[in-house]
Amino acid sequence: MFQIDLKSRKAIYEQVMDNFKRLIVTGVLKHDEKVPSIRDMAKTLTVNPNTVQKAYRELENQGYIYTVLGQGSFIAAPPSQGGEKEISVLYDSIHNNVQELMFRGETKNAIITFVENIKEGEMVSGSN
Amino acid sequence: MFQIDLKSRKAIYEQVMDNFKRLIVTGVLKHDEKVPSIRDMAKTLTVNPNTVQKAYRELENQGYIYTVLGQGSFIAAPPSQGGEKEISVLYDSIHNNVQELMFRGETKNAIITFVENIKEGEMVSGSN
Amino acid sequence: MFQIDLKSRKAIYEQVMDNFKRLIVTGVLKHDEKVPSIRDMAKTLTVNPNTVQKAYRELENQGYIYTVLGQGSFIAAPPSQGGEKEISVLYDSIHNNVQELMFRGETKNAIITFVENIKEGEMVSGSN
Amino acid sequence: MFQIDLKSRKAIYEQVMDNFKRLIVTGVLKHDEKVPSIRDMAKTLTVNPNTVQKAYRELENQGYIYTVLGQGSFIAAPPSQGGEKEISVLYDSIHNNVQELMFRGETKNAIITFVENIKEGEMVSGSN
DNA sequence: GTGGTCTAGACCACT
DNA sequence: GTGGTCTAGACCACA
C-alpha cells in the first residue's frame, strides 16, 4: 500500500497519516472503503500498533476516516462544505512555497505551468 | 519585528526561523543587513537566549544568515545556484496542497488565479 | 569506548564528534550499528546530556549518524557519492601538512612511505 | 599580500596566522625579511589592530617570527632541529586525512600521486 | 559588545 | 526507554 521511512525525522504516525491523506485525496481510497486493521497495518509496516492507533485516531479527528465499533475503520465521505480554515491554511502554504520558489530563482510562469499540469487523481513521489 | 506564540505546539526556535525566512524571502530583510543580536532578540521575544541561538544556528546552517565572530549575524546573499533538492520539495508541497484544495472543492482556475496574484515581495498573514 | 579531555581547549562536543568520526572512518563502528543513547554516553563521559546531544546533532547534520525517533541513533551508510567540497578540503589539508613537514626537514620520500603504510582500518594514537 | 574572510567561522587572528605560516613555509617570505607593522597590516586587512597584534604574538610564540623592539617584526630562521612534537602532530593529521579520503572513496594511489606532486615552494588556494 | 560552550534540571512527544 | 525543547545562569573567546 505504501511505505514509511523509519529514518525520517518526521514522526511515524504522521507519515502514516500523510500517506492515507494522499491516497484519499487522490481517489485511490474511496468512500466507505475499509482501511486495514490496526494490527495488520502495524505488522505490514513493522511498527508499533500504538503508533498506528495514534495515526488512525488523528485521521478520525480530522474527518478522513470513521470507525464502527467492532468492525474497523472506513474512509469518510469527502467534505461537502466547511473547512474554511483548512482551505485558507492550504492557500497560505502555497503562497509561501511560491514565494520561496521565486526567491530561489524559479519563474512565475514555470510555477503556473506546473500547477496547470496537476491532475486530480495523480500522485507525487515523496512529499514533505 | 514579529511575534511568536509561546503556547503553539510548534517549537519556539522554529517559529523564529519561519519568521526570519519569511522576512528574507519577501525581501523585507535585505542582503548583509544586520539581524538583532541573540541577546536583544531574546529580550524582545521574552525567551531564553539559548533558544534564539538555536534558531540562528539553524538559519546559518540553511544558508539564510551568516555570522561574523564578535560582530553579530547578517542576512546572507540569495542562493545563486543549486538547492535542487529544496526546489523539488517545494514543488511537491505545492502539488499536494493543490490536490487537497481540489479535493475540498476548489477549482483549478481559482487556484491558478491565486498563484498569478502572488508578488515577489508580498507577505501573507499567518502561515504554515 | 573512548575518553575526552575536559581540560582541553577543544570543545567537548567537538572531541566527541572527532572520536566518533575516527571510529566510523576506521571501520570500528559499522553501518546501522547503534550508538550509545545520549543519556548513557553522558553518564559514561561524565558530561551533561545536552553536550552529547549537540555532538550527535552535528554528527547527524554531517551525515555520520542517523536518528530514529524513540529508538536512538545509528551509524549511517558511508557516503556513496558527492562530498566534492569535503574531499578537496582534505586534500588541501594534506598539501599544507606535507609542505610544513618538508619545511621542517622531513624528506618527501619519508612522507610517501608513511602514507603508503596507512591502512583503511587503522587508528592513530592521539590526533587532531 | 593575502586576504582574510570576515565571514569565515575561523577566528580572524587564526586566519592571519595561517596565511603567514603558508607564506613562510612556501618560501615567499624569507629569513629576516620584515613583516608589515601591526598598524599597516590592520589597515590593509581592515581589521582591528588588537586582532593583528594577537596573531603576531602567537606567531612569535610558535617561532615563526621574532620582534625587535622599536623596529618591528621579522621572519625567523627555519627550525634546524627539534619540534618532534610538531612533526608527529603533522603526521597524525595526514594519517587522519588520508583515512577519511579513503573512507570517501579516494584510492590510495590517487592520494600518493597527489603527495608526490607537491613541491616545496607551491601554494594551494584556500586551506583548512 | 558579540557569539559559543556548558551545566543542571524540567517537561514533552514518540515508540 | 528514546530524543527534543526550553529555561536559568555561568564562563569563555573574539573584535
Side-chain angles (χ1 to χ4, degrees), chain A residues 25-26 64 90-94 96-97 99-104 106 108 111-112 114-116 118-120 122 124 126-127, chain B residues 25-26 64 79 90-97 99-101 104 106 108 111-112 114-116 118-120 122 124 126-127:
Chain A
V25 165
T26 56
Y64 285 92
L90 290 166
Y91 272 121
D92 278 4
S93 174
I94 290 174
N96 284 338
N97 288 329
Q99 274 189 326
E100 181 150 2
L101 277 173
M102 291 193 291
F103 180 68
R104 290 180 178 279
E106 295 290 295
K108 174 86 78 76
I111 299 168
I112 287 173
F114 173 81
V115 173
E116 278 170 345
I118 298 174
K119 295 186 188 90
E120 196 154 353
E122 194 187 10
V124 69
S127 66
Chain B
V25 166
T26 55
Y64 287 92
L90 290 165
Y91 272 121
D92 278 4
S93 175
I94 289 175
H95 186 117
N96 284 340
N97 288 327
Q99 273 190 328
E100 183 151 1
L101 277 173
R104 289 177 178 281
E106 295 290 298
K108 176 86 78 76
I111 298 168
I112 288 173
F114 173 80
V115 172
E116 277 170 344
I118 298 173
K119 292 177 193 113
E120 195 153 357
E122 194 187 5
V124 70
S127 66

Short mmCIF file of all heavy atoms in Angstrom, two decimals, chain A residues 25-26 64 90-94 96-97 99-104 106 108 111-112 114-116 118-120 122 124 126-127, chain B residues 25-26 64 79 90-97 99-101 104 106 108 111-112 114-116 118-120 122 124 126-127:
data_model
loop_
_atom_site.label_atom_id
_atom_site.label_comp_id
_atom_site.label_asym_id
_atom_site.label_seq_id
_atom_site.Cartn_x
_atom_site.Cartn_y
_atom_site.Cartn_z
N VAL A 25 -7.11 11.65 -0.95
CA VAL A 25 -7.25 12.84 -1.78
C VAL A 25 -7.10 12.51 -3.26
O VAL A 25 -7.76 13.09 -4.12
CB VAL A 25 -6.21 13.90 -1.35
CG1 VAL A 25 -6.09 14.98 -2.41
CG2 VAL A 25 -6.60 14.49 -0.01
N THR A 26 -6.22 11.57 -3.56
CA THR A 26 -6.00 11.23 -4.96
C THR A 26 -7.02 10.22 -5.48
O THR A 26 -6.95 9.81 -6.63
CB THR A 26 -4.60 10.64 -5.16
OG1 THR A 26 -4.44 9.53 -4.28
CG2 THR A 26 -3.54 11.67 -4.85
N TYR A 64 -11.09 12.25 8.14
CA TYR A 64 -10.73 11.48 6.97
C TYR A 64 -11.27 10.05 7.03
O TYR A 64 -11.53 9.44 6.00
CB TYR A 64 -9.21 11.44 6.79
CG TYR A 64 -8.66 12.73 6.27
CD1 TYR A 64 -8.22 13.72 7.14
CD2 TYR A 64 -8.59 12.98 4.90
CE1 TYR A 64 -7.72 14.93 6.66
CE2 TYR A 64 -8.09 14.18 4.42
CZ TYR A 64 -7.66 15.14 5.30
OH TYR A 64 -7.18 16.33 4.83
N LEU A 90 -4.24 25.98 3.45
CA LEU A 90 -3.63 25.43 2.23
C LEU A 90 -3.18 26.54 1.29
O LEU A 90 -2.09 26.48 0.71
CB LEU A 90 -4.63 24.50 1.53
CG LEU A 90 -4.91 23.18 2.27
CD1 LEU A 90 -6.14 22.49 1.69
CD2 LEU A 90 -3.70 22.26 2.20
N TYR A 91 -4.03 27.55 1.14
CA TYR A 91 -3.66 28.67 0.27
C TYR A 91 -2.43 29.39 0.82
O TYR A 91 -1.53 29.78 0.07
CB TYR A 91 -4.83 29.65 0.12
CG TYR A 91 -5.76 29.31 -1.01
CD1 TYR A 91 -7.12 29.06 -0.79
CD2 TYR A 91 -5.31 29.27 -2.33
CE1 TYR A 91 -7.98 28.75 -1.84
CE2 TYR A 91 -6.16 28.96 -3.38
CZ TYR A 91 -7.50 28.71 -3.13
OH TYR A 91 -8.32 28.41 -4.18
N ASP A 92 -2.40 29.57 2.12
CA ASP A 92 -1.23 30.24 2.72
C ASP A 92 0.03 29.44 2.45
O ASP A 92 1.09 30.01 2.15
CB ASP A 92 -1.44 30.37 4.23
CG ASP A 92 -2.29 31.57 4.59
OD1 ASP A 92 -2.78 32.24 3.66
OD2 ASP A 92 -2.45 31.84 5.78
N SER A 93 -0.09 28.13 2.57
CA SER A 93 1.08 27.30 2.35
C SER A 93 1.59 27.44 0.92
O SER A 93 2.78 27.58 0.67
CB SER A 93 0.73 25.84 2.66
OG SER A 93 1.81 25.00 2.34
N ILE A 94 0.63 27.43 -0.01
CA ILE A 94 1.02 27.61 -1.42
C ILE A 94 1.68 28.97 -1.60
O ILE A 94 2.71 29.09 -2.26
CB ILE A 94 -0.22 27.49 -2.33
CG1 ILE A 94 -0.71 26.04 -2.36
CG2 ILE A 94 0.11 27.97 -3.75
CD1 ILE A 94 -2.01 25.84 -3.12
N ASN A 96 3.39 30.77 0.48
CA ASN A 96 4.76 30.75 0.97
C ASN A 96 5.69 29.95 0.06
O ASN A 96 6.81 30.36 -0.22
CB ASN A 96 4.80 30.17 2.38
CG ASN A 96 4.31 31.16 3.42
OD1 ASN A 96 4.33 32.37 3.17
ND2 ASN A 96 3.87 30.67 4.56
N ASN A 97 5.21 28.80 -0.38
CA ASN A 97 6.05 27.97 -1.24
C ASN A 97 6.37 28.67 -2.55
O ASN A 97 7.51 28.62 -3.03
CB ASN A 97 5.36 26.63 -1.51
CG ASN A 97 5.35 25.74 -0.29
OD1 ASN A 97 6.27 25.78 0.54
ND2 ASN A 97 4.31 24.93 -0.15
N GLN A 99 6.48 31.89 -3.04
CA GLN A 99 7.43 32.97 -2.80
C GLN A 99 8.85 32.45 -2.64
O GLN A 99 9.80 33.03 -3.15
CB GLN A 99 7.01 33.77 -1.57
CG GLN A 99 6.02 34.87 -1.91
CD GLN A 99 5.78 35.79 -0.74
OE1 GLN A 99 5.80 35.36 0.40
NE2 GLN A 99 5.53 37.04 -1.03
N GLU A 100 8.97 31.32 -1.92
CA GLU A 100 10.33 30.80 -1.75
C GLU A 100 10.88 30.28 -3.07
O GLU A 100 12.07 30.45 -3.34
CB GLU A 100 10.35 29.69 -0.69
CG GLU A 100 11.76 29.16 -0.49
CD GLU A 100 12.02 28.65 0.91
OE1 GLU A 100 11.11 28.66 1.75
OE2 GLU A 100 13.18 28.24 1.16
N LEU A 101 10.02 29.71 -3.88
CA LEU A 101 10.49 29.26 -5.20
C LEU A 101 10.99 30.44 -6.03
O LEU A 101 12.04 30.35 -6.68
CB LEU A 101 9.37 28.53 -5.94
CG LEU A 101 9.17 27.05 -5.59
CD1 LEU A 101 7.93 26.50 -6.27
CD2 LEU A 101 10.39 26.23 -5.98
N MET A 102 10.26 31.54 -5.97
CA MET A 102 10.70 32.71 -6.72
C MET A 102 12.00 33.26 -6.14
O MET A 102 12.90 33.65 -6.89
CB MET A 102 9.60 33.78 -6.71
CG MET A 102 8.37 33.36 -7.53
SD MET A 102 7.22 34.69 -7.87
CE MET A 102 6.55 35.00 -6.25
N PHE A 103 12.11 33.23 -4.83
CA PHE A 103 13.35 33.66 -4.17
C PHE A 103 14.53 32.82 -4.65
O PHE A 103 15.65 33.30 -4.80
CB PHE A 103 13.20 33.53 -2.66
CG PHE A 103 14.40 33.95 -1.87
CD1 PHE A 103 14.80 35.27 -1.82
CD2 PHE A 103 15.12 33.01 -1.14
CE1 PHE A 103 15.91 35.66 -1.07
CE2 PHE A 103 16.23 33.39 -0.39
CZ PHE A 103 16.62 34.71 -0.36
N ARG A 104 14.24 31.54 -4.92
CA ARG A 104 15.30 30.63 -5.34
C ARG A 104 15.46 30.62 -6.86
O ARG A 104 16.10 29.73 -7.42
CB ARG A 104 15.02 29.22 -4.84
CG ARG A 104 15.18 29.10 -3.34
CD ARG A 104 14.90 27.71 -2.83
NE ARG A 104 15.12 27.63 -1.40
CZ ARG A 104 16.33 27.48 -0.85
NH1 ARG A 104 17.40 27.37 -1.60
NH2 ARG A 104 16.45 27.43 0.46
N GLU A 106 13.11 30.44 -9.42
CA GLU A 106 12.11 29.89 -10.33
C GLU A 106 11.22 31.03 -10.84
O GLU A 106 10.90 31.96 -10.11
CB GLU A 106 11.24 28.86 -9.60
CG GLU A 106 12.00 27.62 -9.15
CD GLU A 106 12.43 26.74 -10.30
OE1 GLU A 106 11.54 26.20 -10.98
OE2 GLU A 106 13.65 26.61 -10.53
N LYS A 108 7.72 32.71 -12.26
CA LYS A 108 6.28 32.57 -12.00
C LYS A 108 5.62 31.71 -13.07
O LYS A 108 4.79 30.85 -12.78
CB LYS A 108 5.63 33.97 -11.99
CG LYS A 108 4.12 33.99 -11.87
CD LYS A 108 3.67 33.94 -10.43
CE LYS A 108 3.81 35.29 -9.76
NZ LYS A 108 2.79 36.26 -10.13
N ILE A 111 6.08 28.06 -12.50
CA ILE A 111 5.26 27.57 -11.39
C ILE A 111 3.82 27.38 -11.85
O ILE A 111 3.18 26.37 -11.54
CB ILE A 111 5.34 28.54 -10.20
CG1 ILE A 111 6.79 28.64 -9.70
CG2 ILE A 111 4.41 28.09 -9.08
CD1 ILE A 111 7.04 29.77 -8.74
N ILE A 112 3.31 28.35 -12.59
CA ILE A 112 1.92 28.26 -13.04
C ILE A 112 1.74 27.07 -13.98
O ILE A 112 0.76 26.32 -13.88
CB ILE A 112 1.50 29.57 -13.73
CG1 ILE A 112 1.33 30.66 -12.66
CG2 ILE A 112 0.20 29.38 -14.50
CD1 ILE A 112 1.08 32.03 -13.20
N PHE A 114 3.42 24.42 -13.90
CA PHE A 114 3.43 23.23 -13.04
C PHE A 114 2.05 22.99 -12.43
O PHE A 114 1.54 21.87 -12.42
CB PHE A 114 4.49 23.41 -11.94
CG PHE A 114 4.48 22.34 -10.90
CD1 PHE A 114 5.10 21.12 -11.13
CD2 PHE A 114 3.84 22.54 -9.67
CE1 PHE A 114 5.10 20.12 -10.17
CE2 PHE A 114 3.83 21.55 -8.71
CZ PHE A 114 4.46 20.33 -8.96
N VAL A 115 1.45 24.04 -11.92
CA VAL A 115 0.14 23.91 -11.27
C VAL A 115 -0.91 23.47 -12.30
O VAL A 115 -1.76 22.61 -12.01
CB VAL A 115 -0.29 25.23 -10.62
CG1 VAL A 115 -1.72 25.14 -10.10
CG2 VAL A 115 0.66 25.59 -9.49
N GLU A 116 -0.83 24.03 -13.48
CA GLU A 116 -1.82 23.68 -14.52
C GLU A 116 -1.79 22.19 -14.85
O GLU A 116 -2.80 21.61 -15.22
CB GLU A 116 -1.58 24.51 -15.79
CG GLU A 116 -2.19 25.90 -15.69
CD GLU A 116 -1.74 26.80 -16.84
OE1 GLU A 116 -0.75 26.43 -17.51
OE2 GLU A 116 -2.36 27.86 -17.03
N ILE A 118 -1.24 19.72 -12.86
CA ILE A 118 -1.64 18.82 -11.78
C ILE A 118 -3.04 18.28 -12.07
O ILE A 118 -3.95 19.04 -12.37
CB ILE A 118 -1.63 19.55 -10.42
CG1 ILE A 118 -0.21 20.03 -10.10
CG2 ILE A 118 -2.15 18.63 -9.32
CD1 ILE A 118 -0.11 20.88 -8.86
N LYS A 119 -3.17 16.94 -11.95
CA LYS A 119 -4.50 16.36 -12.17
C LYS A 119 -5.05 15.88 -10.85
O LYS A 119 -4.31 15.61 -9.90
CB LYS A 119 -4.39 15.20 -13.16
CG LYS A 119 -3.95 15.65 -14.54
CD LYS A 119 -3.99 14.51 -15.54
CE LYS A 119 -3.37 14.94 -16.86
NZ LYS A 119 -1.92 14.67 -16.93
N GLU A 120 -6.36 15.72 -10.81
CA GLU A 120 -7.00 15.44 -9.52
C GLU A 120 -6.61 14.07 -8.96
O GLU A 120 -6.58 13.88 -7.76
CB GLU A 120 -8.52 15.55 -9.63
CG GLU A 120 -9.17 15.66 -8.26
CD GLU A 120 -10.50 16.38 -8.35
OE1 GLU A 120 -10.85 16.91 -9.43
OE2 GLU A 120 -11.20 16.44 -7.34
N GLU A 122 -3.68 12.30 -9.37
CA GLU A 122 -2.28 11.99 -9.63
C GLU A 122 -1.48 12.08 -8.35
O GLU A 122 -1.74 12.90 -7.49
CB GLU A 122 -1.75 13.00 -10.65
CG GLU A 122 -0.43 12.62 -11.27
CD GLU A 122 0.07 13.77 -12.12
OE1 GLU A 122 -0.54 14.88 -12.04
OE2 GLU A 122 1.05 13.61 -12.85
N VAL A 124 2.37 12.23 -6.30
CA VAL A 124 3.73 12.71 -6.43
C VAL A 124 4.58 11.82 -5.54
O VAL A 124 4.14 11.34 -4.50
CB VAL A 124 3.82 14.18 -6.03
CG1 VAL A 124 3.61 14.37 -4.56
CG2 VAL A 124 5.16 14.76 -6.44
N GLY A 126 7.59 11.56 -3.23
CA GLY A 126 7.62 11.74 -1.78
C GLY A 126 7.39 13.20 -1.49
O GLY A 126 7.88 14.06 -2.20
N SER A 127 6.66 13.49 -0.45
CA SER A 127 6.42 14.89 -0.17
C SER A 127 6.50 15.18 1.31
O SER A 127 6.12 14.38 2.14
CB SER A 127 5.04 15.28 -0.67
OG SER A 127 4.06 14.62 0.07
N VAL B 25 12.69 36.00 2.48
CA VAL B 25 12.16 35.61 1.18
C VAL B 25 11.32 36.71 0.57
O VAL B 25 11.30 36.89 -0.65
CB VAL B 25 11.34 34.31 1.32
CG1 VAL B 25 10.51 34.06 0.08
CG2 VAL B 25 12.27 33.14 1.58
N THR B 26 10.62 37.46 1.41
CA THR B 26 9.76 38.51 0.89
C THR B 26 10.52 39.81 0.65
O THR B 26 9.92 40.80 0.24
CB THR B 26 8.60 38.80 1.86
OG1 THR B 26 9.14 39.09 3.15
CG2 THR B 26 7.69 37.58 1.97
N TYR B 64 20.61 31.02 5.32
CA TYR B 64 19.83 32.26 5.32
C TYR B 64 20.58 33.43 5.94
O TYR B 64 20.36 34.57 5.59
CB TYR B 64 18.50 32.06 6.05
CG TYR B 64 17.51 31.25 5.26
CD1 TYR B 64 17.43 29.87 5.42
CD2 TYR B 64 16.68 31.85 4.33
CE1 TYR B 64 16.54 29.12 4.67
CE2 TYR B 64 15.78 31.12 3.59
CZ TYR B 64 15.72 29.75 3.76
OH TYR B 64 14.85 29.01 3.02
N PRO B 79 20.45 32.51 -2.66
CA PRO B 79 21.13 31.38 -3.29
C PRO B 79 21.22 31.58 -4.78
O PRO B 79 20.20 31.72 -5.46
CB PRO B 79 20.23 30.19 -2.96
CG PRO B 79 18.90 30.79 -2.67
CD PRO B 79 19.16 32.14 -2.11
N LEU B 90 9.72 21.94 -2.54
CA LEU B 90 8.71 22.99 -2.59
C LEU B 90 7.64 22.67 -3.64
O LEU B 90 6.44 22.85 -3.39
CB LEU B 90 9.38 24.33 -2.91
CG LEU B 90 10.26 24.90 -1.78
CD1 LEU B 90 11.15 26.01 -2.31
CD2 LEU B 90 9.39 25.40 -0.64
N TYR B 91 8.08 22.17 -4.79
CA TYR B 91 7.12 21.82 -5.82
C TYR B 91 6.21 20.68 -5.34
O TYR B 91 4.99 20.70 -5.58
CB TYR B 91 7.84 21.40 -7.11
CG TYR B 91 8.14 22.56 -8.04
CD1 TYR B 91 9.44 22.86 -8.42
CD2 TYR B 91 7.11 23.34 -8.55
CE1 TYR B 91 9.71 23.92 -9.27
CE2 TYR B 91 7.37 24.40 -9.40
CZ TYR B 91 8.67 24.68 -9.76
OH TYR B 91 8.94 25.74 -10.61
N ASP B 92 6.80 19.70 -4.68
CA ASP B 92 6.00 18.59 -4.17
C ASP B 92 4.94 19.09 -3.20
O ASP B 92 3.78 18.65 -3.20
CB ASP B 92 6.89 17.57 -3.45
CG ASP B 92 7.56 16.62 -4.43
OD1 ASP B 92 7.39 16.81 -5.64
OD2 ASP B 92 8.25 15.69 -3.97
N SER B 93 5.35 20.02 -2.34
CA SER B 93 4.43 20.55 -1.36
C SER B 93 3.26 21.26 -2.05
O SER B 93 2.10 21.08 -1.68
CB SER B 93 5.16 21.52 -0.42
OG SER B 93 4.24 22.12 0.46
N ILE B 94 3.58 22.04 -3.09
CA ILE B 94 2.52 22.72 -3.83
C ILE B 94 1.60 21.69 -4.47
O ILE B 94 0.37 21.82 -4.40
CB ILE B 94 3.14 23.63 -4.92
CG1 ILE B 94 3.82 24.83 -4.27
CG2 ILE B 94 2.06 24.10 -5.90
CD1 ILE B 94 4.55 25.73 -5.25
N HIS B 95 2.20 20.67 -5.04
CA HIS B 95 1.41 19.61 -5.67
C HIS B 95 0.37 19.06 -4.70
O HIS B 95 -0.83 19.00 -5.00
CB HIS B 95 2.36 18.50 -6.13
CG HIS B 95 1.70 17.43 -6.92
ND1 HIS B 95 2.01 17.15 -8.22
CD2 HIS B 95 0.70 16.56 -6.61
CE1 HIS B 95 1.26 16.16 -8.68
NE2 HIS B 95 0.46 15.78 -7.71
N ASN B 96 0.84 18.69 -3.52
CA ASN B 96 -0.08 18.12 -2.54
C ASN B 96 -1.15 19.11 -2.11
O ASN B 96 -2.32 18.75 -1.98
CB ASN B 96 0.70 17.65 -1.31
CG ASN B 96 1.42 16.34 -1.57
OD1 ASN B 96 1.06 15.61 -2.50
ND2 ASN B 96 2.43 16.05 -0.77
N ASN B 97 -0.74 20.35 -1.88
CA ASN B 97 -1.70 21.35 -1.44
C ASN B 97 -2.77 21.59 -2.50
O ASN B 97 -3.96 21.73 -2.17
CB ASN B 97 -0.98 22.65 -1.10
CG ASN B 97 -0.18 22.54 0.17
OD1 ASN B 97 -0.56 21.81 1.10
ND2 ASN B 97 0.93 23.24 0.24
N GLN B 99 -3.76 19.52 -4.79
CA GLN B 99 -4.65 18.36 -4.86
C GLN B 99 -5.66 18.37 -3.71
O GLN B 99 -6.84 18.07 -3.90
CB GLN B 99 -3.83 17.07 -4.83
CG GLN B 99 -3.37 16.65 -6.21
CD GLN B 99 -2.78 15.26 -6.21
OE1 GLN B 99 -2.18 14.83 -5.22
NE2 GLN B 99 -2.93 14.56 -7.31
N GLU B 100 -5.19 18.71 -2.52
CA GLU B 100 -6.12 18.72 -1.40
C GLU B 100 -7.15 19.83 -1.58
O GLU B 100 -8.33 19.66 -1.24
CB GLU B 100 -5.38 18.87 -0.07
CG GLU B 100 -6.33 18.80 1.11
CD GLU B 100 -5.70 18.26 2.37
OE1 GLU B 100 -4.50 17.95 2.37
OE2 GLU B 100 -6.43 18.16 3.39
N LEU B 101 -6.73 20.96 -2.13
CA LEU B 101 -7.69 22.04 -2.38
C LEU B 101 -8.77 21.58 -3.37
O LEU B 101 -9.96 21.86 -3.18
CB LEU B 101 -6.97 23.28 -2.93
CG LEU B 101 -6.33 24.19 -1.88
CD1 LEU B 101 -5.51 25.29 -2.56
CD2 LEU B 101 -7.39 24.81 -0.97
N ARG B 104 -11.20 19.42 -1.84
CA ARG B 104 -12.12 20.16 -1.00
C ARG B 104 -13.01 21.11 -1.81
O ARG B 104 -13.67 21.99 -1.24
CB ARG B 104 -11.36 20.96 0.06
CG ARG B 104 -10.73 20.07 1.13
CD ARG B 104 -9.91 20.84 2.12
NE ARG B 104 -9.38 19.95 3.16
CZ ARG B 104 -10.08 19.49 4.18
NH1 ARG B 104 -11.34 19.86 4.33
NH2 ARG B 104 -9.54 18.68 5.06
N GLU B 106 -12.23 23.31 -4.37
CA GLU B 106 -11.72 24.50 -5.06
C GLU B 106 -11.47 24.15 -6.53
O GLU B 106 -11.05 23.03 -6.85
CB GLU B 106 -10.40 24.96 -4.42
CG GLU B 106 -10.56 25.45 -2.99
CD GLU B 106 -11.30 26.77 -2.93
OE1 GLU B 106 -10.79 27.75 -3.49
OE2 GLU B 106 -12.39 26.82 -2.31
N LYS B 108 -9.53 24.47 -10.18
CA LYS B 108 -8.17 24.70 -10.65
C LYS B 108 -7.97 26.16 -11.06
O LYS B 108 -6.94 26.77 -10.75
CB LYS B 108 -7.88 23.78 -11.85
CG LYS B 108 -6.53 23.98 -12.51
CD LYS B 108 -5.45 23.19 -11.84
CE LYS B 108 -5.50 21.74 -12.24
NZ LYS B 108 -5.00 21.49 -13.59
N ILE B 111 -7.37 28.44 -8.17
CA ILE B 111 -6.02 28.27 -7.61
C ILE B 111 -4.99 28.97 -8.47
O ILE B 111 -4.11 29.67 -7.98
CB ILE B 111 -5.68 26.77 -7.49
CG1 ILE B 111 -6.66 26.08 -6.53
CG2 ILE B 111 -4.26 26.58 -7.01
CD1 ILE B 111 -6.61 24.57 -6.56
N ILE B 112 -5.12 28.81 -9.78
CA ILE B 112 -4.15 29.45 -10.68
C ILE B 112 -4.23 30.96 -10.58
O ILE B 112 -3.20 31.65 -10.55
CB ILE B 112 -4.39 28.98 -12.14
CG1 ILE B 112 -3.92 27.52 -12.27
CG2 ILE B 112 -3.66 29.86 -13.12
CD1 ILE B 112 -4.24 26.89 -13.58
N PHE B 114 -5.08 32.58 -8.01
CA PHE B 114 -4.42 32.91 -6.74
C PHE B 114 -2.91 32.99 -6.91
O PHE B 114 -2.26 33.94 -6.46
CB PHE B 114 -4.80 31.87 -5.68
CG PHE B 114 -4.05 32.01 -4.39
CD1 PHE B 114 -4.43 32.96 -3.44
CD2 PHE B 114 -2.97 31.19 -4.11
CE1 PHE B 114 -3.74 33.09 -2.24
CE2 PHE B 114 -2.27 31.32 -2.91
CZ PHE B 114 -2.66 32.26 -1.98
N VAL B 115 -2.36 31.98 -7.58
CA VAL B 115 -0.90 31.93 -7.76
C VAL B 115 -0.45 33.12 -8.61
O VAL B 115 0.59 33.74 -8.32
CB VAL B 115 -0.47 30.61 -8.43
CG1 VAL B 115 1.01 30.64 -8.79
CG2 VAL B 115 -0.76 29.44 -7.51
N GLU B 116 -1.23 33.44 -9.64
CA GLU B 116 -0.82 34.54 -10.52
C GLU B 116 -0.74 35.87 -9.78
O GLU B 116 0.03 36.75 -10.14
CB GLU B 116 -1.82 34.67 -11.69
CG GLU B 116 -1.51 33.70 -12.82
CD GLU B 116 -2.64 33.66 -13.84
OE1 GLU B 116 -3.75 34.14 -13.53
OE2 GLU B 116 -2.42 33.13 -14.94
N ILE B 118 0.30 36.36 -6.73
CA ILE B 118 1.37 36.44 -5.73
C ILE B 118 2.50 37.29 -6.26
O ILE B 118 2.96 37.11 -7.38
CB ILE B 118 1.90 35.03 -5.39
CG1 ILE B 118 0.80 34.17 -4.78
CG2 ILE B 118 3.08 35.13 -4.43
CD1 ILE B 118 1.18 32.73 -4.56
N LYS B 119 2.94 38.24 -5.43
CA LYS B 119 4.07 39.09 -5.85
C LYS B 119 5.30 38.70 -5.06
O LYS B 119 5.22 38.15 -3.97
CB LYS B 119 3.72 40.55 -5.63
CG LYS B 119 2.63 41.05 -6.56
CD LYS B 119 2.25 42.48 -6.26
CE LYS B 119 0.95 42.83 -6.99
NZ LYS B 119 -0.17 43.07 -6.08
N GLU B 120 6.45 39.05 -5.62
CA GLU B 120 7.69 38.57 -5.01
C GLU B 120 7.94 39.17 -3.64
O GLU B 120 8.59 38.56 -2.80
CB GLU B 120 8.87 38.86 -5.93
CG GLU B 120 10.10 38.07 -5.53
CD GLU B 120 10.99 37.83 -6.74
OE1 GLU B 120 10.63 38.21 -7.86
OE2 GLU B 120 12.05 37.26 -6.56
N GLU B 122 5.66 40.17 -1.23
CA GLU B 122 4.41 40.33 -0.51
C GLU B 122 4.34 39.31 0.62
O GLU B 122 4.82 38.21 0.52
CB GLU B 122 3.26 40.08 -1.49
CG GLU B 122 1.90 40.53 -0.99
CD GLU B 122 0.83 40.05 -1.98
OE1 GLU B 122 1.20 39.34 -2.91
OE2 GLU B 122 -0.34 40.37 -1.79
N VAL B 124 2.05 37.19 3.70
CA VAL B 124 0.73 36.67 3.98
C VAL B 124 0.57 36.65 5.49
O VAL B 124 1.54 36.48 6.23
CB VAL B 124 0.58 35.26 3.38
CG1 VAL B 124 1.45 34.26 4.13
CG2 VAL B 124 -0.85 34.83 3.40
N GLY B 126 -0.99 34.88 8.49
CA GLY B 126 -0.42 33.78 9.27
C GLY B 126 -0.14 32.64 8.33
O GLY B 126 -0.94 32.35 7.47
N SER B 127 0.99 32.01 8.51
CA SER B 127 1.34 30.99 7.55
C SER B 127 1.83 29.74 8.22
O SER B 127 2.09 29.71 9.41
CB SER B 127 2.42 31.51 6.62
OG SER B 127 3.60 31.73 7.34
#
